[in-house]
Amino acid sequence: MVSQSLVDEQLKRAGCNFNFWGRAEVRELPNILMDDEIIQHCLNGRYQGGFATLCATNHRLLLIDRKLMFLSVEDIRFDMIAELDYTSQFIDGTIHVVTPNRSLRFVSWHQAQLRRLLGYVQERVMQARQQYLPQQFQQQSRSPIMAGLVGGMALQGNNTPTTQVLNPYTRVPLLSRKRNYPRFY
């Protein structure tokens, strides 16, 4: 179990300071984080259920909503994310995280931090998808069609088909949009 002092140190290193708002969510982080998990980005804002904290670690994206009588935690793995949208307005920014089975809309007034979190999540999603890419190319190169296209020299020897278990969510394309609305001063 992660200690509160380690969480506070990781938040300080990430440039997050929750003196009053979001303190309940920060106190809940030691119960949620795994031992080898490192907080990369964390910020406060609101979502469909009210005020919450969005936290990106090296393993997943967490939405933590701690109220007086209830706790709500959404755990979104990077390989589950299908689409990321970012919209900035005059005062705040919005990020839409879409997975095959749910959609999250998070609004924060810290636009710069939200954009850095978005960039980090996009990078981690692409890394999660790239780890399956070499396996897919190996599987395609063993097919007779690919061997015929390369002139029969692609495979000489073991022609037994291999069965690999791939994550079905990594085949969903990643869409990312940025919308800037005109600002009126």
Side-chain angles (χ1 to χ4, degrees):
M1 185 171 163
V2 180
S3 68
Q4 183 66 44
S5 61
L6 182 62
V7 168
D8 291 336
E9 178 186 324
Q10 288 181 5
L11 286 171
K12 186 177 179 181
R13 202 172 326 129
C16 304
N17 185 11
F18 300 121
N19 288 331
F20 182 70
W21 295 107
R23 205 58 211 161
E25 286 83 1
V26 169
R27 284 193 302 268
E28 195 61 40
L29 274 171
N31 301 326
I32 299 169
L33 294 177
M34 295 182 283
D35 291 334
D36 62 341
E37 216 165 359
I38 300 169
I39 298 171
Q40 301 294 328
H41 297 278
C42 194
L43 63 141
N44 291 327
R46 60 188 192 278
Y47 75 117
Q48 293 90 346
F51 181 80
T53 299
L54 187 65
C55 184
T57 68
N58 57 342
H59 294 296
R60 56 193 171 157
L61 186 65
L62 295 168
L63 180 84
I64 306 155
D65 184 7
R66 179 79 170 123
K67 301 287 190 274
L68 184 62
M69 298 297 283
F70 74 92
L71 169 69
S72 176
V73 176
E74 289 195 31
D75 178 357
I76 303 170
R77 305 292 170 154
F78 293 125
D79 60 350
M80 294 281 293
I81 296 175
E83 182 176 344
L84 290 168
D85 294 329
Y86 174 78
T87 307
S88 63
Q89 293 84 22
F90 180 67
I91 295 175
D92 57 13
T94 305
I95 185 172
H96 293 269
V97 180
V98 179
T99 63
N101 56 358
R102 67 180 141 180
S103 177
L104 170 69
R105 181 178 172 262
F106 186 80
V107 180
S108 179
W109 50 90
H110 302 288
Q111 290 181 5
Q113 288 180 345
L114 191 63
R115 288 191 69 174
R116 285 194 299 269
L117 182 135
L118 175 75
Y120 177 76
V121 171
Q122 285 176 333
E123 181 181 317
R124 293 295 298 179
V125 166
M126 294 310 290
Q127 286 176 358
R129 293 181 183 207
Q130 291 297 325
Q131 75 181 11
Y132 294 107
L133 196 60
Q135 294 173 357
Q136 290 173 351
F137 281 135
Q138 288 174 1
Q139 188 177 14
Q140 288 177 356
S141 68
R142 292 178 187 254
S143 69
I145 296 170
M146 287 299 288
L149 290 176
V150 184
M153 298 176 60
L155 277 179
Q156 293 178 359
N158 188 5
N159 288 331
T160 59
T162 60
T163 58
Q164 295 176 345
V165 179
L166 298 177
N167 189 343
Y169 298 110
T170 59
R171 291 194 169 171
V172 178
L174 173 68
L175 301 175
S176 180
R177 291 185 215 130
K178 179 184 171 221
R179 296 183 182 125
N180 282 327
Y181 292 107
R183 296 181 185 221
F184 300 101
Y185 296 105

